[in-house]
Amino acid sequence: MIRLGLIGCGEHAEGGHAVPLARYQREYPREIELTAVCDLKLDRAQFFVSRYGFLNAYGDMNEMLDRGGLDACIAVVPIEKISPVGIQLLKQRMPCVVEKPLGASIEDIEALRSTAQETRTPNMVSVNRRFMPFLNRALEWSREQGPLRYVRCTFTRHGRGEPEFLWGTAVHAFDALRYIAGEITNAGIRTIKPTASAADWYAIDLEFSGGASGRIDVLPTCGVRDETYELFGENFRAVVTCPFGLRRSFQCFRENRVVFEEYESPAAAEDVINGFYDEAASLIRRLNAKQVLRPSIEEVFPSVQLCLNLAAQVGQATNEVPSGS
């Protein structure tokens, strides 16, 4: 049985981690114990105890870690705390999960990566797009059809004018396309300049090591919260709308006809649709089997690094704390 601790009890920690962990515990009670949870607001940690079945609540991370008895820890903390908290867990040889974008500056991110390399402590980054069932089923189908020639993500939001959006939030699109098509060997960015007080938009062209080309359109103020991933090959195409969209789905096309499609059920659980449940399941099963946790800090680092490099190219501030998802 894996004994888990959770650091941080904010909104994302609840929906992205506590909810799927509690679901997994109900379904596989002999595999996981929700041993401890902590938050600077102790009453919030106590709420997680009563709502999600954690056994012990703490108001201090160090006190929770000093009590011992944990096999792994998930840290969901403010962006500026991701690197220092992650480094502490890694140095204490505590298998851990940390959040994107790994830190609030390139220095923080590189320090976290270096500590992971030096300590070799098992680690994982929470990037839920890699675990979305719709995306993985579309990817599996596409691979059966043949090699990918082109991939595209349209990454849209409503009212997200913060200057750090490209590297703080749109990193999800870069990491998802790396997961789909392989390592990015070349990237070029063009800024779609705003009118009046609107935010910058971005068009990013990509080339992948496997030979595919790609594109990411980052449109943070276009009036709709949506993400669409498209996979193209000779005589086939797959389209995935998830984790955001008016109707989340995936469709598979071959030779000018729909060969498969599925839409979210009204009864579908949010943490299952958006990949957080499969992410939690992967963590627990890999820990139980003593397998390498994936994706690791090392695996996700290139996604963050590329975003920071592109942000620097367009003069976007990279020393501010990003927010949102």
Side-chain angles (χ1 to χ4, degrees), residues 43 129 249 267 322:
D43 60 339
R129 275 63 168 178
S249 62

Side-chain angles (χ1 to χ4, degrees), residues 14-273:
E14 184 172 9
H17 296 282
V19 169
L21 288 172
R23 182 187 307 281
Y24 192 91
Q25 186 185 51
R26 291 194 301 270
E27 295 177 355
Y28 304 99
R30 295 185 180 182
E31 291 188 22
I32 178 178
E33 176 185 276
L34 302 181
T35 305
V37 61
C38 73
D39 194 272
L40 293 175
K41 297 179 180 179
L42 181 58
D43 60 339
R44 184 66 178 168
Q46 291 168 338
F47 169 74
F48 273 44
V49 168
S50 62
R51 180 68 176 268
Y52 299 109
F54 287 87
L55 299 181
N56 303 287
Y58 298 90
D60 180 79
M61 177 185 75
N62 293 314
E63 180 185 1
M64 184 183 82
L65 295 173
D66 290 343
R67 290 291 179 94
L70 296 177
D71 297 309
C73 199
I74 300 170
V76 191
V77 295
I79 303 296
E80 69 273 15
K81 297 293 185 182
I82 291 176
S83 180
V85 170
I87 288 171
Q88 179 178 342
L89 293 171
L90 293 167
K91 287 184 174 180
Q92 292 183 217
R93 301 298 196 275
M94 173 63 69
C96 57
V97 178
V98 298
E99 290 283 334
K100 64 85 186 167
L102 302 181
S105 68
I106 189 61
E107 292 78 16
D108 285 349
I109 293 163
E110 289 177 340
L112 179 65
R113 180 197 189 198
S114 295
T115 304
Q117 292 172 334
E118 292 164 4
T119 64
R120 298 188 177 183
T121 303
N123 63 83
M124 179 176 176
V125 181
S126 177
V127 278
N128 61 300
R129 275 63 168 178
R130 293 184 181 225
F131 295 92
M132 295 188 301
F134 281 170
L135 180 60
N136 280 310
R137 289 162 66 184
L139 180 55
E140 181 181 5
W141 179 85
S142 296
R143 286 172 173 166
E144 292 172 352
Q145 310 311 305
L148 292 171
R149 293 185 58 183
Y150 190 77
V151 293
R152 179 168 61 199
C153 174
T154 305
F155 195 94
T156 74
R157 294 293 188 270
H158 170 63
R160 294 294 298 275
E162 66 268 26
E164 67 279 0
F165 184 86
L166 176 62
W167 69 277
T169 300
V171 63
H172 276 302
F174 291 85
D175 190 71
L177 290 193
R178 284 183 59 237
Y179 171 66
I180 292 167
E183 291 305 317
I184 297 171
T185 57
N186 191 38
I189 186 169
R190 178 171 62 89
T191 303
I192 303 171
K193 298 305 292 183
T195 58
S197 61
D200 286 352
W201 295 0
Y202 305 98
I204 301 109
D205 291 309
L206 306 169
E207 295 177 6
F208 297 87
S209 58
S213 298
R215 170 88 168 208
I216 301 174
D217 290 313
V218 179
L219 315 175
T221 59
C222 74
V224 61
R225 190 186 196 196
D226 187 280
E227 275 181 53
T228 299
Y229 297 91
E230 297 177 84
L231 291 63
F232 301 85
E234 197 66 26
N235 293 319
F236 72 89
R237 176 191 183 205
V239 182
V240 179
T241 299
C242 203
F244 304 115
L246 296 179
R247 192 178 187 192
R248 291 173 294 185
S249 62
F250 78 98
Q251 298 94 33
C252 300
F253 305 84
R254 186 167 183 85
E255 298 180 346
N256 203 36
R257 64 187 181 90
V258 178
V259 296
F260 192 84
E261 61 184 337
E262 184 175 341
Y263 297 87
E264 66 173 310
S265 163
E270 181 65 24
D271 60 303
V272 174
I273 289 288

